[in-house]
């Protein structure tokens, strides 16, 4: 039994290694196609290595015996995000290939709606898969906000940084880690972020329109995060308020 567990674990880990290999292959293709500079190569390779290391560690800690079809789709999306990341980093040194960047991003956004459906249909939904999907989404939004900020203004970075600021704040205020109820509005706003940032960075619209689209994305995100934070705060206060009320009742009864 121990041998079988070891074999299964190695098999799962091999898939992450294959993902890193595919990422490097994509970078080679991009480098050949556009003559990608050092910044793009270093950033892309760093993304590939970091993704492989973090995902391998998470798989080891989760004890999953199979990587699963949904995670393979997410890993494919992560590979595309790595390509987008390399192109955005390269754009600091040279004119970015907007058509290629938009194409890779569009495919990554389309696949975002696939991995969840695959997980549900195959009965392979896991906490690790959901977290993996969320982190890939968040990082793509961060990269797109960096790209759009070069044209529209640094304030766009608030879009990409908001989720990471929320995670950091949760370390200070633990009640932010409480579970949120399912919300179609939250999912819709999250999905729109990538679409709106892609539109703003596509070069199809004049500056004023790009500014307006990015501002709309930020406004929607502030509304969504603000609503969730208020709900979490109110929920965290209820046990404390209930305890205070019970204490007052006891004190009155004692008198």
């Amino acid at each position: 039994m121990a041998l079988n567990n070891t074999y299964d674990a190695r098999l799962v880990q091999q898939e992450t290694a294959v993902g890193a290999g595919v990422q490097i292959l994509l970078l080679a293709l991009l480098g050949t196609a556009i003559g990608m500079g050092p910044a793009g190569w270093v950033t892309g390779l760093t993304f590939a290595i970091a993704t492989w290391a973090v995902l391998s560690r998470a798989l080891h800690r989760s004890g999953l015996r199979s990587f699963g079809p949904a995670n393979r789709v997410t890993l494919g999306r992560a590979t595309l995000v790595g390509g987008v990341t390399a192109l955005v980093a390269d754009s600091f040194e040279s004119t970015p290939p907007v058509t290629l960047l938009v194409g890779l991003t569009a495919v990554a956004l389309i696949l975002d709606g696939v991995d969840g459906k695959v997980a549900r249909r195959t009965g392979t939904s896991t906490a690790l898969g959901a977290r993996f999907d969320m982190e890939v989404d968040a990082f793509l939004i961060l990269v797109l906000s960096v790209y759009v900020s070069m044209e529209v203004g640094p304030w766009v970075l608030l879009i990409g940084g908001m989720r990471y600021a929320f995670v950091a704040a949760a370390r200070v205020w633990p009640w932010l880690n409480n579970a949120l109820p399912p919300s179609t509005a939250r999912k819709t706003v999250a999905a729109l972020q990538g679409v709106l940032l892609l539109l703003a960075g596509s070069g199809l619209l004049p500056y004023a329109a790009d500014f307006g689209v990015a501002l709309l994305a930020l406004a929607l995100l502030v509304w969504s995060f603000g609503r969730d934070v208020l709900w979490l705060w109110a929920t965290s206060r209820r046990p404390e308020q209930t305890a205070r009320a019970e204490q007052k009742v006891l004190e009155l009864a004692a008198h």
Side-chain angles (χ1 to χ4, degrees), residues 3-17 64:
L3 289 176
N4 288 336
N5 287 339
T6 301
Y7 175 77
D8 289 338
R10 288 179 179 177
L11 203 60
V12 172
Q13 296 294 341
Q14 285 174 3
E15 300 213 37
T16 64
L64 289 178

Side-chain angles (χ1 to χ4, degrees), residues 4-13 55-68 71 126-129:
N4 288 336
N5 287 339
T6 301
Y7 175 77
D8 289 338
R10 288 179 179 177
L11 203 60
V12 172
Q13 296 294 341
L55 186 56
S56 295
R57 182 182 180 186
L59 284 167
H60 178 73
R61 295 177 65 180
S62 69
L64 289 178
R65 296 171 63 86
S66 173
F67 195 61
N71 284 335
T126 63
L128 174 62

